[in-house]
Amino acid sequence: MSHAFMTRVLSVTTGAEERVADLTHDCAAFLRETAQGRDGLLNIFVPHATAGVAVIETGAGSDDDLLAALRTLLPADDRWHHRHGTPGHGRDHVLPALVPPHATLPVIKGRLELGTWQSVCLVDTNVDNADRQVRLSFLG
């Protein structure tokens, strides 16, 4: 395998409630092993139709604010044509149009180049599927 492209799949359990799961430490650990001081790009991809990746502040209420905003924009009610699963599950299938299932971020000298308050997060509103995969890929 080339050292220019490395990939790893994380398993993340999000639980039975909507959740914003901080992946920043997992991303940093992956880069320590793979980037080895090089510049490049980190791609984070969620291969699920009902989850997304966001770069936001966490721990100061922004993650809860994001979930509240998504509940306002995508209410869990019977308006959705996609109707299997728990009531309102169709909204979970619209989520990736607002919170995309991927992000590509700069890596400088082997470290994720985030702003002071930025974190890489998995956004999961689907309470029917608590087991998620997140693919991390470094190109450098």
Side-chain angles (χ1 to χ4, degrees), residues 48-51 74 80 82-85 88-98 125-126 128:
H48 298 283
T50 58
L74 304 171
W80 308 102
H82 187 105
R83 294 184 185 262
H84 79 271
H89 176 64
R91 76 179 189 124
D92 300 325
H93 288 272
V94 177
L95 172 77
L98 300 176
T125 59
N126 181 359
D128 293 334

Side-chain angles (χ1 to χ4, degrees), residues 17-137:
E17 296 181 5
E18 298 174 344
R19 183 163 174 220
V20 175
D22 192 336
L23 304 174
T24 309
H25 294 292
D26 296 302
C27 292
F30 171 69
L31 290 171
R32 276 192 301 276
E33 294 176 27
T34 59
Q36 300 175 346
R38 294 176 302 187
D39 293 353
L41 295 171
L42 175 66
N43 181 263
I44 304 100
F45 176 71
V46 181
H48 298 283
T50 58
V53 175
V55 178
I56 64 168
E57 177 182 10
T58 59
S62 297
D63 37 353
D64 292 330
D65 290 340
L66 174 59
L67 292 175
L70 290 171
R71 281 185 217 107
T72 299
L73 291 169
L74 304 171
D77 59 23
D78 64 358
R79 72 183 69 202
W80 308 102
H81 296 285
H82 187 105
R83 294 184 185 262
H84 79 271
T86 57
H89 176 64
R91 76 179 189 124
D92 300 325
H93 288 272
V94 177
L95 172 77
L98 300 176
V99 181
H102 58 86
T104 301
L105 303 171
V107 175
I108 307 297
K109 297 181 181 176
R111 296 182 55 155
L112 196 54
E113 190 71 11
L114 292 172
T116 302
W117 304 112
Q118 290 180 315
S119 296
V120 179
C121 299
L122 169 66
V123 180
D124 188 1
T125 59
N126 181 359
V127 299
D128 293 334
N129 184 2
D131 298 317
R132 299 303 190 156
Q133 292 184 339
V134 179
R135 180 175 297 280
L136 304 178
S137 299

